Amino acid sequence: MSFLKKYHLPVWFAFAILLHTAFSDIHENLPKTGFWSMKGILITHDFEDKTDSLSGPEIYELQDSTGLTIWFGRVIFKDVCISGKCKMIRVWIFWNGTGNYLGHQIISGEPLTKSDHTLFADADYVKLDNILKDSTSILKRLKQEELIIVPENRELLQVDGYTAATQPTLAEVVVKDAVYTCHTLWHTVYGPVQEKIFEILESRISSDYLTLLFENENPDYNLLAVGFVQKYPGFHSQFYPEIIRCIQSKNDNLAGKALNYFQSDFLKNDSIQNQIVKVIPNVSAQRKNDILWKLAETQKLNDGAILYLLEMVENKQIGIGSLNLVLRLIQLEQVNQNPEIQSKLKMLEQSENAYVRNLASKHLSKTN
């Protein structure tokens, strides 16, 4: 019997068993409550952060059955002061499936404490959560030494600047007596881990992955998909109808980003013009105006789209307050060359509403 047959296979089989056992042991030691109680497929990403070597060496990812991310998580282990004599904090931080802050989870037996070593109250955890959700927080541009009024004797500094006063301007945006904790965790949330998560998500871009993102009812996934198509225009022809659909979303961020996706070059396409126009009956009055202003960016709106807009005015699907915007989209040659457009304007000229009559009459007079 050869060495390969006699030793190689048993050795590799034993190694595989050992690796599986070690992997299982690691996962058995993970929490079972909170975010960890959610069902899904757990994946581990090795992660080396030279600025944070004490925190966990991996990023965990929980996926649903379709392959979309439910959350990313990392255990954070850091000090939270500049004196060098601080209590370390250990806490789980979670990001959602699009890389944005999702929440934090306290490790059993290791609650967060304040500068005087009192425990965080429930209200403090709620406030901390809201602080970490704010990606535009004032903490973004502040360094640690700018958080407090430093006493002349720096040796008096304790964790979270207990003997030093928090800068008055920060009182409302940090947990009382925990300014360093808030600052440290905020920069952890929006630091290298988030950058790595964005890299992981972007590495998955494909037609199938984008389809999953657009089909999901969570607007955050749709937002991510719109951003990816915007960054990788090769997917435009396949997915622009999905982006038009997103204009109808009740989520203002998603609807706004979807509408803004269509820059002037895209708006030259008659099919895109027609599809955008046809979502107008399904959106709010403000969104209707936003769409009309967006269409005004094109050099010329095709006749079919113009006629559809005028029909919506007739059917009161577009309010008379927006009529002036509609008329601005109609070029004089379209009125002169298209009898249907001219006919609809003449009908508006006979409206019972004096404002509508005057606008239509004024527009028709320009063609004479």
Side-chain angles (χ1 to χ4, degrees), residues 222-253:
N222 302 158
L223 273 166
L224 185 66
V226 174
F228 281 153
V229 176
Q230 194 166 26
K231 187 171 183 178
Y232 297 95
F235 292 105
H236 167 77
S237 60
Q238 181 180 356
F239 290 104
Y240 81 79
E242 290 294 330
I243 299 177
I244 291 175
R245 178 185 60 79
C246 289
I247 295 173
Q248 304 172 69
S249 172
K250 293 181 180 179
N251 183 286
D252 289 336
N253 288 336

Side-chain angles (χ1 to χ4, degrees), residues 32-175:
K32 301 293 190 296
T33 59
F35 290 103
W36 287 99
S37 67
M38 300 172 71
K39 303 298 182 183
I41 302 165
L42 190 63
I43 298 172
T44 305
H45 304 274
D46 292 333
F47 178 62
E48 181 182 4
D49 182 359
K50 294 180 180 179
T51 67
D52 183 16
S53 59
L54 296 179
S55 295
E58 61 275 303
I59 297 172
Y60 292 98
E61 177 186 5
L62 189 69
Q63 292 184 352
D64 66 17
S65 58
T66 70
L68 286 183
T69 305
I70 299 171
W71 53 249
F72 292 94
R74 187 190 186 202
V75 64
I76 304 302
F77 185 46
K78 288 186 173 184
D79 60 38
V80 290
C81 74
I82 58 177
S83 68
K85 300 178 180 179
C86 307
K87 179 178 179 180
M88 303 289 288
I89 59 169
R90 193 192 304 268
V91 62
W92 281 98
I93 299 290
F94 294 90
W95 294 258
N96 66 17
T98 62
N100 296 313
Y101 173 74
L102 178 62
H104 64 276
Q105 186 167 327
I106 302 306
I107 295 172
S108 178
E110 300 188 49
L112 296 181
T113 58
K114 298 185 179 184
S115 54
D116 58 355
H117 305 297
T118 59
L119 302 181
F120 267 47
D122 290 343
D124 295 324
Y125 285 115
V126 172
K127 186 168 185 178
L128 175 63
D129 196 54
N130 289 328
I131 291 166
L132 299 181
K133 286 177 181 176
D134 182 8
S135 61
T136 62
S137 171
I138 189 175
L139 297 175
K140 179 177 183 177
R141 60 179 185 270
L142 294 177
K143 298 177 181 179
Q144 278 194 331
E145 56 268 26
E146 298 174 312
L147 301 175
I148 58 172
I149 302 172
V150 182
E152 291 183 8
N153 185 354
R154 294 180 64 90
E155 293 182 359
L156 294 176
L157 286 176
Q158 298 178 13
V159 62
D160 276 324
Y162 178 52
T163 60
T166 300
Q167 291 288 359
T169 55
L170 299 178
E172 297 301 318
V173 295
V174 297
V175 175

